Structures are given as C-alpha cells and as structure tokens.
Amino acid sequence: MDARKNQSNLISLETQRIKNLVRGNGIDLVGVANLHQLEGMPTGIHANSSFIYDNFRFAIVLGAQLDKLGRNASGAEVSLFMEKAALEVMEYLEQKGFPGLIIHTEDEYDPNERLGLLSLKVLAKGAGLGWQGRSLLIISPEFGSVHRWIAVLTGMDLETDVPIPNQCGDCFLCIDKCPSEALTLVDFDDHPPNRADVLDIQKCLGDDGCTVCLVVCPWAKWKK
Ligand code: B12
Ligand code: SF4
Ligand code: SF4
C-alpha cells in the first residue's frame, strides 16, 4: 500500500516539476494527455503508427498565446520560442532515462491529406487545455483560439489532466464569417466524426494567412 502511495506521489511530483519547467520558460498553457485514450486519432502516417503507441504513453502539451512576444512577432518566432521550451522538456526527460518525441508546431507528414504526425488539436483537447470549437480550432478558457500548440511525447509515467466540455453554445461566428465558406455547421460535443464534414481544406485560405475563424471567436483574448 505504502509502495503504491509513494509511486503515485512520485508521478505527481514529476508532473509538477515538468509543468513548472515549462511555465518557467514563459509558456502560458501546459497539460498532459494519455495517448492511449486517443488511439485511433487521424495521423499523417498511414502505414503503421503503432511505433508511437508502443513507445510513448503520454503527451505533454504546451500552448503559447499568439501575441505574447509582442504584436509584431511572426508565427515563425512564436514557433521557435515554443521549440526551445519543448527541447528543455526533452532534455529533462532524457536525464531521467526517457526518450521523447516532439510534435512540431507546423510539421505535416502527409502534405496531400494535410495531416500532421499527430493532430496537436487532439492532444491539446486530451490534455484538458480547451475544447474543439465549431471552427475545429481548440478554444481555451484563458485565450480562446489565439494560441499555438507544440507537444512532447514520453514514456515517463505522468498525471493526466481532465478534458473541458464544449462551450460554443449558441455561437456560430466562425462559420458565418469565414470568407471562403470553408466551414460547415456540424452538431458535435467532443469532435466531429470526420474533418471533411466540417472543413473543406481546398477552400480554406489558412495557407495565405487567413485567421478570421480564429480572431472572430468571442473567447479570443489578446494580451495587449
Ligand atoms: C495541416 C494543417 C492545416 C490545414 C488543414 C487544417 C485542419 N483542420 O486539419 C489547413 C491549411 C487548412 C490549415 C488551416 C489553418 N490552420 Co492549421 N494546421 C495544420 C497542421 C499542420 C496539421 C493538422 C492535422 O493534422 N489535422 C488532422 C485533422 C484530421 O484533425 P483535426 O482538425 O484536429 O480534427 C479532427 C480530429 O481532431 C478528430 N478528433 C478530435 N478528437 C479526437 C479524439 C479521437 C480519439 C479521435 C479518434 C478523433 C478525434 O475530430 C476532427 C474530425 O475528425 C496543424 C499542426 C498539427 N500537427 O496539428 C496546424 C494547426 C491545426 N493549424 C492551426 C491554425 C491556427 C490554422 C489556421 C487559423 C491558419 C493560420 N493562419 O494559422 C487555419 C484554421 C483552419 C481551421 N478552421 O481548421 C493551429 C491551431 C491552433 C488552435 N487554436 O487550435 C495548429 C495546431 C498549428 C499550431 N501549432 O498551433 N491548417
Ligand atoms: S482560416 Fe479563414 S478560410 Fe480557413 S476556415 Fe478559417 S476563416 Fe475560413
Ligand atoms: S467562434 Fe463561436 S462557434 Fe466558433 S469556435 Fe468560437 S465560440 Fe465556437
């Protein structure tokens, strides 16, 4: 009994240490998701993604508010800032004997289907950092949609966070304001069955810098 309690205290302590390390690097949001509860999520690796689930059990998800480096900072600068914080987590995990794997902010593993190695939105949602809005973006209570995600996968035992229920309510602004009608209204609580039912990736102007669905969200909070 005592051994089990000690083990659970140790897991709690390690989780707090990692979260403090992340926050100490100026990252706004951090949470932990259990990868095995998310098995089956869409991934850019079609052949065999079992190496992910065989080697890693948890995802430490980091979120940075978009204008935290100032209004003039570019997306690339915010990504670099996040990469540095993620690398420090990797270093900590490696010192403890656990290799890590970073899911980078913008990497695409299937550029035709437009899929990342894992969806950072699924990971952020699993880590209790926000819900998947009607725009498919993750909406956090702290900043709404205006943040960027990065994640570090690990085999180290960690305490997981609790997912947040959807709070879009009667709002449909992202769908109404999308300039290219790329978004379709689909009724879902946790997530829609298919991305294509909600978002037409051919019509979306995200590659050209469109952020309308992100900025119109009433939950969006800018720092300055
Ligand atoms: C490729 C890509 C795009 C493509 C495709 C978009 C898409 N929604 O997939 C295009 C070019 C269209 C695009 C556009 C934009 N993007 Co983009 N994009 C990506 C990228 C690199 C991969 C996305 C991916 O793999 N999607 C997989 C799809 C299938 O998953 P999904 O959208 O999460 O939704 C499905 C699943 O999540 C599923 N699901 C949810 N939970 C669960 C749980 C289980 C168990 C299962 C089985 C399924 C499931 O439900 C959905 C339907 O199936 C990510 C980075 C990353 N690695 O995640 C950034 C990312 C998603 N993009 C982002 C942003 C901000 C944008 C834009 C605003 C453009 C911009 N100027 O920045 C627009 C917004 C468009 C929109 N409304 O979604 C941010 C989102 C931040 C946030 N607040 O959530 C990300 C995370 C980049 C980052 N590091 O911050 N993007
Ligand atoms: S990024 Fe622009 S075009 Fe794409 S879904 Fe959002 S509002 Fe529509
Ligand atoms: S704009 Fe409204 S419907 Fe869209 S994600 Fe934000 S709260 Fe949800």
Side-chain angles (χ1 to χ4, degrees):
M1 191 65 184
D2 270 358
R4 212 183 302 155
K5 201 168 168 211
N6 286 344
Q7 175 67 6
S8 126
N9 285 345
L10 189 67
I11 292 171
S12 181
L13 190 71
E14 282 298 8
T15 308
Q16 280 317 314
R17 276 191 188 140
I18 291 172
K19 286 184 173 180
N20 289 342
L21 175 73
V22 169
R23 291 194 190 104
N25 278 311
I27 295 290
D28 302 293
L29 302 172
V30 54
V32 177
N34 183 333
L35 269 187
H36 289 268
Q37 287 175 355
L38 303 174
E39 221 162 327
M41 71 171 122
T43 163
I45 296 191
H46 295 298
N48 187 355
S49 56
S50 66
F51 87 89
I52 295 176
Y53 299 107
D54 291 347
N55 290 294
F56 303 106
R57 298 177 52 212
F58 297 95
I60 303 156
V61 187
L62 284 58
Q65 204 267 2
L66 283 178
D67 67 349
K68 68 172 292 105
L69 301 179
R71 275 281 158 121
N72 295 329
S74 66
E77 282 168 319
V78 179
S79 285
L80 188 61
F81 169 77
M82 302 188 76
E83 297 279 340
K84 282 183 183 159
L87 278 171
E88 284 217 20
V89 175
M90 288 276 284
E91 208 173 30
Y92 181 84
L93 294 169
E94 273 167 22
Q95 277 167 11
K96 298 278 175 176
F98 293 94
L101 177 70
I102 296 183
I103 309 295
H104 297 277
T105 54
E106 301 293 343
D107 277 0
E108 279 183 50
Y109 279 71
D110 185 334
N112 295 320
E113 294 291 327
R114 308 295 314 249
L115 292 167
L117 176 55
L118 291 179
S119 166
L120 283 166
K121 288 182 284 179
V122 178
L123 298 179
K125 185 165 69 65
L129 297 174
W131 68 90
Q132 188 154 35
R134 294 197 167 106
S135 58
L136 290 190
L137 295 171
I138 298 300
I139 316 300
S140 73
E142 292 88 347
F143 304 115
S145 43
V146 292
H147 36 59
R148 200 171 276 260
W149 304 112
I150 195 166
V152 183
L153 308 188
T154 179
M156 181 194 261
D157 272 334
L158 292 173
E159 245 173 19
T160 51
D161 290 285
V162 182
I164 299 175
N166 190 301
Q167 293 175 55
C168 283
D170 292 336
C171 175
F172 304 95
L173 273 175
C174 50
I175 294 167
D176 292 348
K177 301 287 181 191
C178 171
S180 63
E181 298 184 349
L183 291 168
T184 301
L185 174 61
V186 172
D187 195 21
F188 63 90
D189 281 332
D190 186 73
H191 66 272
N194 299 298
R195 171 180 65 179
D197 296 341
V198 177
L199 178 73
D200 184 334
I201 57 171
Q202 308 300 336
K203 284 187 182 171
C204 178
L205 306 169
D207 283 339
D208 303 326
C210 179
T211 54
V212 170
C213 52
L214 190 142
V215 296
V216 296
C217 181
W219 289 84
K221 277 188 207 82
W222 300 93
K223 285 215 158 161
K224 296 171 188 96

